[in-house]
Amino acid sequence: MRNVNVYPINKIPELYFLGRDVSDAEKKSFRTLFWNGSGFEVHFKGRELWALIEGGFETLEPWLVVFLNGRINSRQMITKGKQWICLARGFDDSYETDIRVMKDSQPMADDPEHFIKIHKLALTKGGSFSKLPEHKMKIEFVGDSITTGEGLAGAVDDMAWIGCHMSFCKTYAYQTAEKLDADFRVVSQGGFGIVSAWNNNPYYVIPPEYENVCSIPKGKLYEKLGGYQKYDFSKWKSDFVIINLGTNDRGGFYFEPWTDPDTGKVYKMNLDENGKPCASDGAKITEGTKKFLYVVRKNNPAAKIIWATGMMYIPEVMGFIYEGISQFKNETGDKNVFTLEFDSMDCETNEEDKGSRQHPGPKTHRLAAEKLSMVIKSLYSTEKV
């Protein structure tokens, strides 16, 4: 790395940061990429662009993806410690290049030492940054492994639960944002549900985490980074909030009970004598759905909310989710809450259509993005789309 000027990440006014961040982020000497889809974007003129990136983990490494002029140029695991990574080299410095650097894997609830920080950029001397054009809208995506992109970077028979098999940049969410020229935020965690995780753990659920910056990984590191801070929704006002939750709540009905190691209490989503979800546990999903909508609406008063289901077929619980949505709308009179059912991954008939770990593959995500972007267009102001 020669003949470059080095810029602290927060001393580049033309840089646009992607994703949720702490309230005093501009005062720090680094930016933390908390969620999948977090990162930065810049337009630059110059032959080379580098980034000083710091990574950490114990068991589940973070992954980063680099886009050049809208196309994926590289995807790589970030190792422990600080390292200069070349983002672009050999470019014609007479024209502008767009670069987007983005965390492609989710925060890891099972690895509280997992993180990525961006410290500095280095640009060829004589090069320059320029201001980015504004996006047409803002969309927040809230979900589980589907929104995380689990299975989109692995072969069909790959079944290991590891970061390299997760790829947010290939999801319906990222594709939708690209189709609509939308800025976006993401809150997603594989295995998490509305009221129950896939394994009946009632603490691995999204609603209690939603109002924090990023508090899913528990421990001193994320507390120090500011992940437990309340997120300031007023700084970035969503036009749409897309919720894709419920798949893991279904899983709890078919998985063995989970025992809290601290209290010894046993948790289980139960089936009745007919093999259907028992009414009391179904009611938990209904109530959880309704309560979560109250939280989302409180923090996004002007947004249209779309609750999407269907990429992984969950017939046992969809009725309970829809009932919760209906109750919320009846209690509030809110006319800006909608439902959408995506095509199921059953449409994947060819090997190249499928994802790993029995998750939706490229075809299902593409179809979902097409459907969701059309629905958003139909709901949004025609002057802005």
Side-chain angles (χ1 to χ4, degrees):
M1 190 176 73
R2 299 178 179 178
N3 195 35
V4 297
N5 290 323
V6 177
Y7 304 85
I9 195 70
N10 288 329
K11 300 296 183 181
I12 309 171
E14 299 87 358
L15 179 143
Y16 186 75
F17 188 75
L18 304 163
R20 286 189 173 192
D21 209 343
V22 294
S23 57
D24 59 347
E26 297 81 6
K27 299 178 182 179
K28 295 181 179 294
S29 61
F30 60 87
R31 301 296 284 266
T32 303
L33 308 190
F34 286 106
W35 293 97
N36 40 324
S38 295
F40 67 88
E41 186 171 6
V42 288
H43 280 178
F44 71 95
K45 286 183 178 180
R47 293 189 60 80
E48 294 185 15
L49 183 68
W50 295 69
L52 181 60
I53 296 175
E54 182 181 2
F57 64 95
E58 284 299 321
T59 57
L60 297 165
E61 75 282 348
W63 283 75
L64 202 71
V65 63
V66 178
F67 290 82
L68 286 172
N69 295 323
R71 294 286 183 93
I72 296 175
N73 180 260
S74 66
R75 183 176 183 269
Q76 59 189 295
M77 179 182 76
I78 301 301
T79 56
K80 294 180 181 180
K82 291 182 180 179
Q83 57 214 291
W84 281 101
I85 294 178
C86 187
L87 305 177
R89 185 173 182 274
F91 276 68
D92 184 340
D93 57 10
S94 67
Y95 67 86
E96 286 188 353
T97 296
D98 176 79
I99 193 159
R100 175 178 285 184
V101 178
M102 196 170 70
K103 190 170 187 282
D104 210 26
S105 54
Q106 66 179 17
M108 297 296 185
D110 295 331
D111 188 349
E113 299 301 314
H114 166 112
F115 74 90
I116 298 180
K117 296 177 185 176
I118 310 294
H119 289 270
K120 299 176 181 180
L121 297 186
L123 180 62
T124 313
K125 288 182 178 179
S128 62
F129 298 109
S130 57
K131 188 176 180 180
L132 291 162
E134 290 188 6
H135 293 286
K136 292 180 178 179
M137 66 177 77
K138 296 180 173 69
I139 306 175
E140 181 180 64
F141 295 93
V142 182
D144 49 36
S145 60
I146 297 172
T147 304
T148 286
E150 186 170 338
L152 285 174
V156 175
D157 294 331
D158 289 339
M159 293 301 292
W161 194 84
I162 50 180
C164 73
H165 293 159
M166 303 174 186
S167 183
F168 171 74
C169 72
K170 299 178 182 179
T171 63
Y172 77 95
Y174 189 76
Q175 291 182 57
T176 298
E178 287 294 280
K179 286 177 181 292
L180 298 173
D181 187 17
D183 193 4
F184 59 89
R185 298 283 186 270
V186 181
V187 175
S188 73
Q189 186 72 187
F192 278 46
I194 307 165
V195 297
S196 175
W198 66 278
N199 63 348
N200 284 295
N201 184 338
Y203 304 113
Y204 274 20
V205 291
I206 291 293
E209 313 292 345
Y210 177 73
E211 293 185 291
N212 299 332
V213 172
C214 182
S215 56
I216 281 177
K218 306 304 180 186
K220 293 182 179 179
L221 174 62
Y222 273 72
E223 183 178 4
K224 183 179 180 180
L225 290 173
Y228 295 173
Q229 288 183 13
K230 291 299 180 183
Y231 176 59
D232 187 352
F233 288 86
S234 68
K235 287 187 175 181
W236 192 90
K237 298 180 180 180
S238 301
D239 296 300
F240 287 85
V241 178
I242 313 302
I243 304 172
N244 190 341
L245 288 171
T247 301
N248 292 301
D249 299 87
R250 174 192 181 271
F253 288 102
Y254 300 96
F255 201 77
E256 62 189 38
W258 182 82
T259 302
D260 188 328
D262 296 325
T263 66
K265 186 174 180 179
V266 178
Y267 294 88
K268 179 75 175 79
M269 300 293 277
N270 297 290
L271 298 171
D272 62 21
E273 63 275 9
N274 298 313
K276 296 182 179 181
C278 70
S280 60
D281 286 329
K284 292 178 185 177
I285 297 173
T286 293
E287 185 68 10
T289 299
K290 182 179 71 172
K291 285 184 176 180
F292 188 41
L293 285 171
Y294 271 101
V295 173
V296 173
R297 175 54 75 213
K298 179 187 74 172
N299 292 291
N300 302 273
K304 292 179 172 62
I305 302 170
I306 301 174
W307 198 300
T309 58
M311 294 172 73
M312 297 180 78
Y313 195 43
I314 53 171
E316 302 92 333
V317 302
M318 283 179 64
F320 299 119
I321 293 172
Y322 288 162
E323 176 60 23
I325 295 169
S326 178
Q327 289 183 14
F328 172 79
K329 293 173 71 173
N330 289 336
E331 290 177 11
T332 62
D334 196 323
K335 297 181 180 179
N336 283 314
V337 179
F338 308 89
T339 59
L340 176 63
E341 187 171 352
F342 292 134
D343 294 332
S344 167
M345 61 186 286
D346 292 343
C347 71
E348 298 170 0
T349 56
N350 299 316
E351 195 81 355
E352 62 268 23
D353 296 335
K354 299 178 181 180
S356 62
R357 287 188 47 77
Q358 299 177 332
H359 272 67
K363 181 178 181 180
T364 305
H365 279 271
R366 174 176 54 80
L367 293 175
E370 290 172 357
K371 180 175 285 190
L372 179 57
S373 60
M374 288 179 63
V375 170
I376 290 175
K377 282 183 179 181
S378 72
L379 294 172
Y380 201 54
S381 168
T382 55
E383 291 81 18
K384 295 183 179 180
V385 177

